[in-house]
Amino acid sequence: MARTAEGGAPACRRRADRARLVADVLRAQILSGEFPPGERLPLEGELAREYRASRNTVRESLALLRDEGLVERVPRLGTLVVRNKYAHGLNRLLGLSEMLHEHGRVRNEVRAVTVVEAPPAVAHRLRLDPGSPAVYVERLRRVGGLPLSLDLTYLAPDVGTPLIGEDLENNDVFALIEEVCGRPLGDADITLEAVGADPHSAAVLQAPPRAALLLLERLTHLDDGRPVDLEYIRFRGDRLTMHGRLTRPTPGRTPEWP
Amino acid sequence: MARTAEGGAPACRRRADRARLVADVLRAQILSGEFPPGERLPLEGELAREYRASRNTVRESLALLRDEGLVERVPRLGTLVVRNKYAHGLNRLLGLSEMLHEHGRVRNEVRAVTVVEAPPAVAHRLRLDPGSPAVYVERLRRVGGLPLSLDLTYLAPDVGTPLIGEDLENNDVFALIEEVCGRPLGDADITLEAVGADPHSAAVLQAPPRAALLLLERLTHLDDGRPVDLEYIRFRGDRLTMHGRLTRPTPGRTPEWP
């Protein structure tokens, strides 16, 4: 598909490398909604022309997308998009229902609501005294009936205790906190990782064993800066993307490496 | 470990649920550097006390962290932290070398530098005319000698062509673009996903089959808003976290759902 930089013979690149390349651009088109669920992708021959690739390479790239669960290959029909992913914003702090309100109802299966003695590391993050109680909430969250995430939440006791009687099945914790406290949340520190699902988490999320998960740790503060909500959220990787916009710091600075 | 919300009998939760809970907090302590590589985690009995959990639960949680490659269990020594992950910021647009400069040298194995006809979807993102050339760069990026990411990059021809002769092995593309263009980059639109590695990507990254990867699509603009750099980056999930800070929008607004 390419001339080398030197303008010489066709680059001899492995087919798997070329297939990844085609798959990545097609994946982005699916995720952006350019090819929505139910739509047929262009025919193999057309994709081969677009990407200056062989039909074998195109077939291999479609197999990669099929293995990710994004498309299905239907004899005589072609390649159908069968799934998109929900887009979760990285630039604003929103609860899941707020984020996905156009995609249908978020339903939470509440697996636990208990008062616990906060483990020391949790107490430290929430700036609680050692041995202080915390409210622990565990929810399996479904959108469109399918599991999207498993959320483990520790709440500062004054914020969490009034939530125990609330409708946690149909409401975001964020909204409930703001209602109960009568003040808005401020910001949140997040850490994102990709991890393979352990067998039990995979089973709870109805995902294949070792399925790739997005693991989000999120420490949310009230608008006065006090941390009140520490969460560990496992999103099914095949059902969600995170998107945002990053800005280049200190424009014009000289790079500090050779 | 817990009283139920109703203050009644101990909650009868499955051990796997409790093990996940302990593992998540320990993982966060490892990632934050509280337990750096080489350090020994507290003994099982101590962790059991801290988390009000049984030793079996603690053992199962340590097994989860071992399966993720974060700790090793050494007979008579205990549980040693063997790996941390590099922290990649989500609030500022930085190249990998800029981001990780304190963690040692980023070394790029340049797998391809070629001029290609931009596939239509790529041309569209980079606002190039249909059939326009683009410069394609593929790099396997190593930190501390180990593969961290596989980066596929399409550059607008005027920006990419001068880079062909540059030292791509030792420099971030961002830095080279700014040097070559004589102007700073502006911002970037990113999309993050967790995906399981296809066999070939896993082999290139020296990761286990189906290993969880963080897949980052990033479209970077010059400071005048023109998109010049479209990348598809596969990070090994066991070697990198993304972290940032999110802010709650429009404080005080009333939640718009019931």
Side-chain angles (χ1 to χ4, degrees), chain B residues 112-146:
Chain B
V113 187
T114 66
V115 178
V116 300
E117 184 182 315
V122 171
H124 180 73
R125 301 292 308 279
L126 290 174
R127 293 192 217 144
L128 303 174
D129 292 331
S132 160
V135 173
Y136 176 74
V137 179
E138 187 174 309
R139 294 166 301 162
L140 177 64
R141 314 193 71 179
R142 287 193 171 84
V143 185
L146 285 176

Side-chain angles (χ1 to χ4, degrees), chain B residues 96 108 139-143 146-151 204-205 214 233-236 239:
Chain B
L96 196 63
N108 307 314
R139 294 166 301 162
L140 177 64
R141 314 193 71 179
R142 287 193 171 84
V143 185
L146 285 176
L148 176 66
S149 69
L150 176 62
D151 298 19
V204 171
L205 286 163
L214 260 182
I233 306 178
R234 283 168 172 76
F235 290 104
R236 275 178 54 162
R239 301 206 64 211

Side-chain angles (χ1 to χ4, degrees), chain A residues 39-113:
Chain A
E39 189 143 318
R40 204 174 64 179
L41 291 188
L43 296 174
E44 281 177 14
E46 198 178 326
L47 290 172
R49 270 193 305 282
E50 283 190 5
Y51 287 89
R52 299 274 182 276
S54 71
R55 287 177 77 116
N56 279 339
T57 297
V58 166
R59 250 175 243 131
E60 195 166 323
S61 72
L62 295 173
L64 290 174
L65 296 176
R66 184 199 56 209
D67 291 347
E68 288 183 37
L70 289 173
V71 304
E72 264 175 28
R73 314 212 56 195
V74 184
R76 280 183 302 279
L77 256 181
T79 308
L80 296 180
V81 177
V82 291
R83 177 178 292 156
N84 203 329
K85 302 188 184 186
Y86 298 113
H88 197 294
L90 276 172
N91 287 96
R92 301 187 307 156
L93 179 64
L94 288 174
L96 197 62
S97 293
E98 295 169 289
M99 191 76 76
L100 304 181
H101 63 92
E102 63 201 39
H103 297 289
R105 197 180 165 72
V106 175
R107 200 106 191 188
N108 307 314
E109 179 188 320
V110 181
R111 306 182 82 229
V113 186

Side-chain angles (χ1 to χ4, degrees), chain B residues 160-175:
Chain B
T161 307
L163 264 59
I164 290 175
E166 294 289 329
D167 180 7
L168 289 161
E169 196 175 313
N170 294 295
N171 290 290
D172 285 346
V173 163
F174 281 177

